[in-house]
Amino acid sequence: MSNRRKKIDILYQALTYVASSIAVIALSMIFIYVFRNGSDLLDFGLLVNDYHEKYYNADIEGDITYSTTEAPDTLEDNMYYSDRWGIAFEDTENREGKNVIRVVYIAKDSPMQSLNDKNNPTTENFGIKVGNIVTAIKFEDKASALPIYGAEYMINELNASDNFREIVFTSLGGGIRGSIITTLYVIGMSLLFSLPIGIFTAIYLNEFAPKNRITNTLRSMVEVLTGVPSIIFGLMGLAVFVPLTVRYTSATSGNLISGSLTLGVILLPVIIRSTEESLKVVPDALRNASLALGANHTQTTFKVVLPNALPGILTATLLAIGRIIGESAALIFAIGTAVKDDISIFGKSTTLAVHIWSLMSDEPANIQLASTIAVVILLIVLVLNISVKLISMRFKKRYE
């Protein structure tokens, strides 16, 4: 081998090393950025809590039995405890980055454990719980204690009072339960629409369609649709599916059904092309053996070819789910951007990706919560990836 040839080979190999290094660094930076910014808010409560706070107005009826519990040793220096009321507050930030006062401890004999719900007096076992956010304590004979003065001031004012006129508190809020449920709804309904149509179209194109100009044109159109920006599909969803669902369902505007149908159309090219490639790699020897044993073309396709292509079809399904989870532009038109806690397939809502868009479009942007949602999306995709790999391995073993 000549020296010139050796230098050219080294140059080519160096290009592959540099390119792969850049790819690894770029992808690693994404992971590092979202985990670094979002890991602090990542907890189980974030996944199961509502995004919007629930407000409670309460007072105490009848004689008050004050707490006799002393401050527990577990309280930190920035936590302020009222011996009389058996409750501790701290200055902190909520998931939206706003300064709030949070309840960090409440004694078992605290009078705050048994309050009167002024909005719904029939509520039983109503009281403040650890994690609630206190927004105001209103007194009869002096000014209200507000969060702007801090937890220490609020505790001192409460400690110096025999009673209060009203205490206002909220749930923590900032959770993404509604967005997770919306995402799962959209995944299920989109796949319900796109998978059967996409798979059967791919089977037709690869197994039954004649090899002529019309088939090639159809295949080319599918490939073109793969590269069309999703926002254009969103416009189609707004123009077609939203009016259609408004007319035939109880929906009054963009809704989960119209969003799922829009995503279903977006997914069709991905599923068709991936499934067709999976069918192509099935050896012709299997088809010929099946035909030689007396099976017809249709039986061979659905009983021999299709089962052997299932691992590839599962991969196509995974790609489709990843596209659904990451899609935002089309859904802004077809579903809307309203962050909801009560989910209905006939109403507006947000998926996790649109929730990120909504947080980043606020002023100021909530980068921390957006990064936390990004971490959740990455974990969901990782779990789905591993699940599909395991299922694919089982199918490979079964048909090998």
Side-chain angles (χ1 to χ4, degrees):
M1 182 181 294
S2 65
N3 290 333
R4 184 173 179 275
R5 182 71 256 173
K6 288 181 179 178
K7 291 178 180 177
I8 292 175
D9 290 346
I10 291 173
L11 177 62
Y12 284 152
Q13 290 179 18
L15 286 175
T16 61
Y17 295 149
V18 171
S20 57
S21 300
I22 292 173
V24 170
I25 292 172
L27 295 175
S28 300
M29 287 175 66
I30 295 173
F31 280 97
I32 292 171
Y33 179 82
V34 296
F35 274 96
R36 184 174 180 181
N37 287 283
S39 57
D40 290 342
L41 291 183
L42 191 61
D43 56 37
F44 186 71
L46 176 79
L47 306 179
V48 299
N49 285 352
D50 292 338
Y51 180 74
H52 299 287
E53 302 93 344
K54 291 182 179 177
Y55 279 82
Y56 303 98
N57 300 75
D59 61 6
I60 297 180
E61 292 181 335
D63 298 332
I64 301 175
T65 303
Y66 299 106
S67 173
T68 57
T69 304
E70 296 182 354
D73 298 332
T74 54
L75 293 183
E76 300 176 2
D77 295 339
N78 62 336
M79 299 175 180
Y80 304 97
Y81 181 72
S82 168
D83 294 319
R84 192 175 200 187
W85 294 90
I87 192 168
F89 298 157
E90 73 164 347
D91 295 301
T92 185
E93 291 183 349
N94 62 10
R95 294 188 177 115
E96 295 175 326
K98 298 177 181 177
N99 294 326
V100 296
I101 292 180
R102 184 175 62 176
V103 178
V104 292
Y105 174 79
I106 183 164
K108 291 182 179 179
D109 60 350
S110 169
M112 297 289 191
Q113 293 272 20
S114 180
L115 297 173
N116 171 50
D117 186 354
K118 298 179 71 172
N119 299 322
N120 188 10
T122 59
T123 304
E124 297 181 355
N125 300 322
F126 179 73
I128 296 180
K129 295 180 173 56
V130 173
N132 285 153
I133 305 299
V134 180
T135 59
I137 301 177
K138 301 175 182 178
F139 302 98
E140 294 284 359
D141 53 350
K142 58 183 178 181
S144 301
L146 300 175
I148 191 173
Y149 302 114
E152 185 177 12
Y153 174 85
M154 190 173 278
I155 279 292
N156 289 337
E157 290 296 294
L158 187 63
N159 231 0
S161 303
D162 295 330
N163 200 352
F164 53 82
R165 178 166 55 86
E166 183 181 72
I167 183 167
V168 184
F169 58 97
T170 73
S171 57
L172 179 59
I176 59 173
R177 182 185 65 85
S179 298
I180 292 176
I181 294 174
T182 300
T183 303
L184 295 177
Y185 269 127
V186 171
I187 289 174
M189 291 193 292
S190 300
L191 292 180
L192 192 65
F193 170 70
S194 59
L195 268 183
I197 296 176
I199 291 173
F200 281 103
T201 301
I203 292 173
Y204 169 76
L205 288 174
N206 196 70
E207 302 294 329
F208 295 103
K211 299 184 185 307
N212 54 29
R213 190 171 296 176
I214 296 176
T215 304
N216 292 335
T217 303
L218 181 60
R219 191 174 283 116
S220 299
M221 290 175 63
V222 171
E223 291 175 352
V224 169
L225 286 174
T226 307
V228 173
S230 58
I231 197 166
I232 295 178
F233 288 100
L235 291 173
M236 181 271 297
L238 181 64
V240 177
F241 292 130
V242 173
L244 199 65
T245 51
V246 167
R247 181 171 183 177
Y248 292 105
T249 69
S250 60
T252 57
S253 60
N255 55 82
L256 264 64
I257 298 176
S258 61
S260 301
L261 290 172
T262 305
L263 275 181
V265 175
I266 295 174
L267 298 180
L268 277 178
V270 178
I271 295 174
I272 291 171
R273 292 299 301 142
S274 301
T275 304
E276 197 177 358
E277 292 301 321
S278 303
L279 294 170
K280 284 180 180 176
V281 300
V282 176
D284 286 336
L286 290 176
R287 294 180 175 85
N288 296 333
S290 175
L291 294 171
L293 290 173
N296 60 33
H297 191 187
T298 303
Q299 291 171 326
T300 300
T301 299
F302 285 94
K303 293 188 176 181
V304 177
V305 178
L306 189 58
N308 282 280
L310 275 178
I313 295 174
L314 285 173
T315 303
T317 305
L318 175 65
L319 291 173
I321 293 174
R323 183 76 184 268
I324 295 170
I325 294 175
E327 185 54 57
S328 60
L331 294 178
I332 291 172
F333 291 108
I335 296 182
T337 60
V339 181
K340 292 287 189 66
D341 296 314
D342 297 323
I343 309 303
S344 166
I345 61 173
F346 304 116
K348 290 185 175 182
S349 190
T350 57
T351 61
L352 290 168
V354 179
H355 197 155
I356 292 177
W357 178 88
S358 180
L359 292 170
M360 296 302 291
S361 61
D362 283 344
E363 189 63 39
N366 192 342
I367 296 175
Q368 191 175 18
L369 183 55
S371 298
T372 305
I373 297 175
V375 173
V376 173
I377 290 176
L378 290 174
L379 292 176
I380 292 175
V381 173
L382 178 64
V383 170
L384 288 173
N385 207 333
I386 294 173
S387 302
V388 170
K389 293 290 183 187
L390 293 174
I391 295 172
S392 298
M393 289 172 63
R394 291 197 62 179
F395 274 110
K396 282 183 179 178
K397 289 181 180 178
R398 182 174 179 181
Y399 290 102
E400 279 180 354

